[in-house]
Amino acid sequence: MQETSDLKKLLSKVSNGILSVEEALEICEKEEDLGFAKVDHDRERRCGFPEVIFAESKTPEHSLKIAKSLVKRNGFAYLTRVPESTRNLLLSEWPEAEYNELSKTMVVGTFPESKSSENAKKVLVISAGTSDIAVAEEAAITARVMGCSVEYLHDAGVAGIHRILNASAKLSEASVIIVTAGMEGALPSVVAGLVDCAVIGVPTSVGYGASFQGVAALLGMLNSCANGVAVVNIDNGFGAGCLAARIIKTGNGELNDN
């Protein structure tokens, strides 16, 4: 069992003098109460990945303290929807942090890069239009942080259907495909009709008035006539990246395990 294996590693570090008894006890704590937040340190054991910080509605100081707690335990912390003030504060603490301007995502500490081989299962992230790339980036970075190998295909919407048809090689190599699209949200249906893998549709809030900030795309994807299309919430690239990683994990037995 994974929990037993982790405990053996921890005890070995104590035995070898790498960790003190007090430090080991702290690591064994499943929840850390910061007063304003209870950091769930048992999340990785239960769900396969540590807690992620949704920074948009938090103060910069709260995000920083939660990030420090996660970095101390896991070596890194992943934040989504990071405001500029939070980004600046975290960069003062971790100057080498990876911040993505488009997706407003940030990884502090050591980026958990995939250890997958070139032949490992891949997540293909497709954006229908350039306006959808920010959401596509959030999905892609989330999948990467969770250990997946990721490839991109941008500006391949139905208005230029030849673009997706010309990408047959990339489509056939993917194990999971994430499709971000606004307007009428038709692209996931098109893609799902061309491939035999799972397709995750991400409606974006891109479009004119009758798109209703992504509701039209959401309803279009939910009503897809193609089989095997899963749909996440509007602009929820993070949720799509998580789902893709879970699908890959199920197929591989374990993320990063080949």
Side-chain angles (χ1 to χ4, degrees):
M1 293 177 63
Q2 182 64 40
E3 192 170 1
T4 302
S5 175
D6 290 342
L7 183 57
K8 286 181 177 178
K9 291 178 182 177
L10 185 64
L11 291 173
S12 176
K13 288 181 179 179
V14 173
S15 176
N16 294 329
I18 299 173
L19 290 176
S20 67
V21 173
E22 290 74 19
E23 288 172 328
L25 286 172
E26 186 178 342
I27 290 174
C28 287
E29 291 295 329
K30 294 184 176 181
E31 186 173 87
E32 183 177 356
D33 191 345
L34 300 179
F36 60 89
K38 293 180 175 64
V39 184
D40 182 3
H41 289 308
D42 196 40
R43 183 80 58 92
E44 183 172 16
R45 182 192 65 81
R46 297 194 321 271
C47 304
F49 192 80
E51 189 169 7
V52 174
I53 303 169
F54 180 77
E56 187 173 67
S57 303
K58 295 179 176 63
T59 67
E61 292 74 21
H62 284 173
S63 291
L64 174 63
K65 289 179 181 177
I66 297 170
K68 282 184 174 180
S69 174
L70 291 169
V71 169
K72 185 176 182 180
R73 180 67 65 94
N74 306 301
F76 76 97
Y78 179 46
L79 302 93
T80 65
R81 308 297 170 94
V82 179
E84 183 178 359
S85 55
T86 301
R87 178 200 66 187
N88 293 339
L89 181 61
L90 267 61
L91 284 174
S92 68
E93 181 74 23
W94 295 283
E96 303 303 318
E98 295 199 26
Y99 174 76
N100 185 285
E101 182 67 39
L102 280 173
S103 63
K104 309 300 182 189
T105 55
M106 194 169 191
V107 179
V108 298
T110 303
F111 195 105
E113 286 284 3
S114 170
K115 297 177 183 176
S116 301
S117 68
E118 291 184 1
N119 296 321
K121 296 182 178 181
K122 294 181 176 66
V123 176
L124 176 62
V125 178
I126 303 174
S127 59
T130 306
S131 299
D132 303 306
I133 289 180
V135 177
E137 277 290 307
E138 183 179 75
I141 292 171
T142 298
R144 279 184 59 215
V145 169
M146 293 186 173
C148 298
S149 175
V150 177
E151 290 192 1
Y152 293 91
L153 180 59
H154 290 316
D155 198 16
V158 296
I161 195 66
H162 59 284
R163 296 167 185 163
I164 199 70
L165 297 176
N166 289 339
S168 57
K170 275 193 173 184
L171 295 175
S172 64
E173 291 171 357
S175 296
V176 182
I177 299 176
I178 297 173
V179 183
T180 63
M183 302 294 186
E184 81 294 346
L187 187 58
S189 289
V190 173
V191 171
L194 298 172
V195 300
D196 64 356
C197 65
V199 175
I200 303 168
V202 189
T204 70
S205 52
V206 172
Y208 296 103
S211 68
F212 299 109
Q213 290 77 51
V215 174
L218 172 63
L219 295 177
M221 292 181 190
L222 288 173
N223 286 285
S224 171
C225 63
N227 297 325
V229 177
V231 183
V232 298
N233 209 343
I234 298 167
D235 291 337
N236 189 11
F238 170 74
C242 288
L243 178 55
R246 284 176 178 258
I247 292 171
I248 294 291
K249 179 179 180 179
T250 301
N252 282 356
E254 196 69 41
L255 282 176
N256 291 340
D257 183 14
N258 298 291

